[in-house]
């Protein structure tokens, strides 16, 4: 008789590779960053924010691309991130994980436990993988929902292009508008509901 795989056993293992992922229970939500297995448990607001961002970046997607929430990316043996939003080539819509080379834009939504990972560890992973557009949306900032845009510098590492709480508009990689004040208002509505409870 074999013992069932328990969550503490998963978390105790130190250096995961993509080969180890086959041992995970079916349907388990995970990502692998620098050989570390992460088992996220997003809040309802985190999920709604991911959906709103998917709709915003999906509006003007170039032909042959689609915006998708919560999709795993195949980077290397020690990294299989699962960004909250990714714009990928349509030819990869029926596979998971998607080869990272098929991603035009990757977006992460910060949670209280993921700030360092999203703003630092993943910047190194995505930059090394050649992702040209990496955006991080942080709803935990007191001044409003803030979005930070990263792009590769001359040395290939990411540099911050902009951090803003205002309506964000860009034409790179294609025309996108994200109403950050509206997302802040939504966040504040949910925070007020929580305080009233």
């Amino acid at each position: 008789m074999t013992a069932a795989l328990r969550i503490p056993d998963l978390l105790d293992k130190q250096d995961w590779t993509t080969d180890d992922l086959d041992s995970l229970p079916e349907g388990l939500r995970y990502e692998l960053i620098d050989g570390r297995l992460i088992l996220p448990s997003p809040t309802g607001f985190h999920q709604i924010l991911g959906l709103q961002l998917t709709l915003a970046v999906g509006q003007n997607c170039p032909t042959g691309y689609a915006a998708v929430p919560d999709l795993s990316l195949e980077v290397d043996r020690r990294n299989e991130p699962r960004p909250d939003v990714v714009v990928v080539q349509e030819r990869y819509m029926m596979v998971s994980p998607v080869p990272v080379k098929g991603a035009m834009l990757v977006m992460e939504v910060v949670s209280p436990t993921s700030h360092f990972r999203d703003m630092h560890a993943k910047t190194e992973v995505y930059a090394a993988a050649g992702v040209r557009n990496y955006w991080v949306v942080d709803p935990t900032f007191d001044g409003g929902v803030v979005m930070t845009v990263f792009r590769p510098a001359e040395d290939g590492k990411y540099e911050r292009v902009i951090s803003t709480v205002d309506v964000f508009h860009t034409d790179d990689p294609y025309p996108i508008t994200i109403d950050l004040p509206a997302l802040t208002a939504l966040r504040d509505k949910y925070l007020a509901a929580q305080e009233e409870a």
Side-chain angles (χ1 to χ4, degrees), residues 94-122:
M94 303 304 286
V95 299
S96 181
V98 169
V100 71
K101 67 180 181 188
M104 175 187 287
L105 168 64
V106 172
M107 298 180 76
E108 294 285 0
V109 176
V110 171
S111 65
T113 60
S114 74
H115 190 272
F116 179 82
R117 194 168 49 246
D118 292 337
M119 294 296 287
H120 301 285
K122 288 183 183 178

Side-chain angles (χ1 to χ4, degrees), residues 95-155:
V95 299
S96 181
V98 169
V100 71
K101 67 180 181 188
M104 175 187 287
L105 168 64
V106 172
M107 298 180 76
E108 294 285 0
V109 176
V110 171
S111 65
T113 60
S114 74
H115 190 272
F116 179 82
R117 194 168 49 246
D118 292 337
M119 294 296 287
H120 301 285
K122 288 183 183 178
T123 61
E124 293 181 15
V125 169
Y126 291 133
V131 174
R132 188 173 180 288
N133 296 285
Y134 177 53
W135 301 355
V136 178
V137 176
D138 185 351
T140 68
F141 181 63
D142 287 340
V145 175
V146 63
M147 188 170 82
T148 303
V149 173
F150 292 94
R151 290 216 177 91
E154 287 184 21
D155 63 2

Side-chain angles (χ1 to χ4, degrees), residues 54-70:
T54 302
L55 294 172
V57 300
Q59 283 187 4
N60 295 315
C61 259
T63 302
Y65 285 84
V68 182
D70 193 35

